[in-house]
Amino acid sequence: MSHRRGALIVLEGVDRAGKTTQCKKLVQALRKSGRPVEMLRFPDRTTKIGQLISAYLEKNYNLEDHAVHLLFSANRWELEPLLRQKLEQGVSLVVDRYAFSGVAFTSAKPGFSLEWCMNPDVGLPKPDLVLYLQLSPEVAAQRGEFGAERYETSDFQRTVLQRYQHFKKDPSLNWQVIDAAKSIEDVHTEIKTHSEMAIEAVQYQPIAELWK
Ligand code: Z5A
């Protein structure tokens, strides 16, 4: 590659780990240092597919578990051309949840294997860095009550937390565990350091494909 590309940086973690807070701070800090960067989040509730997912999460609409898993993946695939275009233009992307949420949440339901859950997302742009915000259910509970959306119960979130552990062992991923119990500023400093390193490291590398 002769020109610089942007880095794909994903923040993952359980409910109230601080993903949105940290995505926003990271985008601000990278912009301040003159780097082109944009934020995205999944699910993207603004598209037609996203609206269906949103209605499902708000419990206004029921969907079969396999079907909703495929919709979450389709919601990423419909934005894949945009993601690729931005990265190729040199824009780094900070993404609030990605395919790892898809796998962790669906495989926390009975009868779903990790392999089945991963399949629909195989070939998406592979994140150059995944920042996994690790937070115990006890500390998460101190950050306020759960909301009223589907999945927002402590038992389900505990199983999700276990499912996330699978990715730690995947040598193909740049999976960094961040202690999300620290202060917002301390977490931010750590995340910013990892992100700046990733942006430098991948700028002349081709975009890889997830789980391929
Ligand atoms: N889902 C799925 O099933 N399949 C998929 O493929 C995808 C998603 C992509 C989407 O939720 C749901 O869809 C989600 C997974 C599922 N279900 N759940 N649960 P969402 O993305 O719309 O909502 P969320 O990710 O759960 O957001 P959240 O609860 O808001 O969590 P957060 O973004 O990690 O936290 P935050 O908003 O930044 O902070 C939460 C509070 O903690 C807030 O008051 C902060 O001020 C406070 N906070 C943050 N950091 C700190 C620190 N360091 N110390 C103290 N307090 C803090």
Side-chain angles (χ1 to χ4, degrees):
M1 263 176 82
S2 55
H3 63 281
R4 294 176 188 200
R5 73 155 170 100
L8 181 56
I9 300 166
V10 167
L11 275 81
E12 282 284 359
V14 289
D15 201 54
R16 292 167 298 171
K19 300 173 296 297
T20 307
T21 305
Q22 293 298 335
C23 280
K24 288 181 180 163
K25 281 185 78 70
L26 179 60
V27 167
Q28 269 176 8
L30 293 175
R31 276 204 186 127
K32 213 171 157 191
S33 65
R35 292 181 170 88
V37 59
E38 288 181 25
M39 180 176 162
L40 274 93
R41 68 178 309 145
F42 289 110
D44 178 338
R45 302 189 193 213
T46 65
T47 69
K48 285 263 187 282
I49 295 172
Q51 284 162 19
L52 208 51
I53 293 172
S54 190
Y56 169 82
L57 288 170
E58 289 164 3
K59 300 183 199 159
N60 290 326
Y61 191 66
N62 281 328
L63 283 160
E64 196 278 332
D65 288 333
H66 297 79
V68 78
H69 181 76
L70 297 174
L71 284 177
F72 272 112
S73 178
N75 186 229
R76 286 182 281 279
W77 277 109
E78 65 179 334
L79 288 163
E80 191 267 356
L82 179 76
L83 258 73
R84 194 169 283 280
Q85 185 194 35
K86 295 274 180 199
L87 294 172
E88 281 167 357
Q89 285 170 348
V91 179
S92 289
L93 299 174
V94 173
V95 184
D96 192 344
R97 295 192 184 275
Y98 199 56
F100 313 100
S101 283
V103 175
F105 278 78
T106 303
S107 70
K109 297 177 178 178
F112 285 87
S113 70
L114 282 170
E115 196 194 359
W116 188 90
C117 294
M118 285 160 80
N119 259 330
D121 288 304
V122 170
L124 276 176
K126 180 180 168 180
D128 300 298
L129 171 65
V130 187
L131 296 154
Y132 175 69
L133 271 54
Q134 181 163 273
L135 193 69
S136 69
E138 291 72 29
V139 179
Q142 291 163 13
R143 293 188 183 171
E145 298 294 313
F146 280 115
E149 287 205 334
R150 211 180 283 262
Y151 302 151
E152 295 186 332
T153 65
S154 24
D155 280 353
F156 191 71
Q157 295 282 332
R158 266 176 218 278
T159 315
V160 170
L161 195 145
Q162 285 164 12
R163 294 297 181 269
Y164 267 122
Q165 305 314 311
H166 163 79
F167 304 115
K168 250 198 232 172
K169 297 177 233 145
D170 182 346
S172 74
L173 295 173
N174 182 6
W175 185 270
Q176 299 294 331
V177 179
I178 309 290
D179 179 2
K182 290 185 186 168
S183 74
I184 291 178
E185 277 314 315
D186 286 353
V187 174
H188 169 64
T189 305
E190 208 175 320
I191 280 179
K192 185 167 162 272
T193 305
H194 281 295
S195 302
E196 286 171 341
M197 278 164 56
I199 291 170
E200 293 303 315
V202 305
Q203 57 187 335
Y204 296 113
Q205 287 175 12
I207 301 164
E209 291 178 303
L210 184 61
W211 296 322
K212 259 196 167 174

